[in-house]
Amino acid sequence: MMENNAIEKKYNKWIVLLSVAIPLVVVVLFSVKLKDIGFDVKPLSFLPPIYAAINAITAVLLIAAVQSIKAGKRIQHERLMKIAIGCSVAFLAMYVAYHMTSGDTKFGDTNHNGIVEEAEKIAAGPIRYLYYFILLTHISLSVAVIPLVLISYVRALAERFDRHKKISKITYPIWLYVAATGPIVYLMISPYYAS
């Protein structure tokens, strides 16, 4: 038990560091456009459907992992969770790479001028509000889930399964929501991507 506590304590600093650093680095990199700082790069416009699919795969993996642990298949659960974490990291890398090489896409901007004009807002209709609600909750919960995933993982690593189970009951629905809403956000915004 003492050794397990030591494992948790050893990783606590990393959890705090990564929980703060990841969102900060993403915000900084998100605001950097490589072409604006002298790099001649082509937009990675092929990435959004790929990282949306990775989000969908993550959601399926999370559901399968929960079903595995409920069926007593701990090794399978562990493998599925590691793959889900890997998918989330891959998503994040592709998401940042896309935004560093491409312009912003605005919901409803049918003429791709970067401004959603009144006529475009009217054409998009009230679905805009649903889109922004899903987008804002997706983004805010994606930040909140980082420490939850890390804590859940470390508690499992330390074989503190009682504590792992307790935090995972919070982590799972938030992570599942983030993973499931990623493809929804993509499907809603995809008509407005510039060709």
Side-chain angles (χ1 to χ4, degrees), residues 44 52 62 66 95 126 180:
L44 300 174
L62 292 172
V66 167
Y95 181 78

Side-chain angles (χ1 to χ4, degrees), residues 22 26 44 46-58 61 81-99 175:
I22 291 170
V26 168
L44 300 174
F46 63 91
L47 284 179
I50 296 170
Y51 62 66
I54 288 174
N55 255 335
I57 291 166
T58 302
L61 288 166
M81 292 309 298
K82 286 178 180 176
I83 296 168
I85 290 170
C87 284
S88 290
V89 170
F91 160 81
L92 187 59
M94 285 187 245
Y95 181 78
V96 170
Y98 169 76
H99 284 283
W175 194 2

Side-chain angles (χ1 to χ4, degrees), residues 31-106:
S31 64
V32 171
K33 301 295 184 211
L34 292 178
K35 67 179 178 170
D36 294 344
I37 58 172
F39 289 93
D40 186 26
V41 294
K42 294 192 184 286
L44 300 174
S45 55
F46 63 91
L47 284 179
I50 296 170
Y51 62 66
I54 288 174
N55 255 335
I57 291 166
T58 302
V60 170
L61 288 166
L62 292 172
I63 293 166
V66 167
Q67 295 305 315
S68 293
I69 201 64
K70 284 182 177 180
K73 300 176 182 175
R74 197 177 118 226
I75 301 297
Q76 183 179 12
H77 170 77
E78 184 180 330
R79 287 180 182 149
L80 289 168
M81 292 309 298
K82 286 178 180 176
I83 296 168
I85 290 170
C87 284
S88 290
V89 170
F91 160 81
L92 187 59
M94 285 187 245
Y95 181 78
V96 170
Y98 169 76
H99 284 283
M100 289 179 72
T101 63
S102 305
D104 294 330
T105 301
K106 299 197 183 309

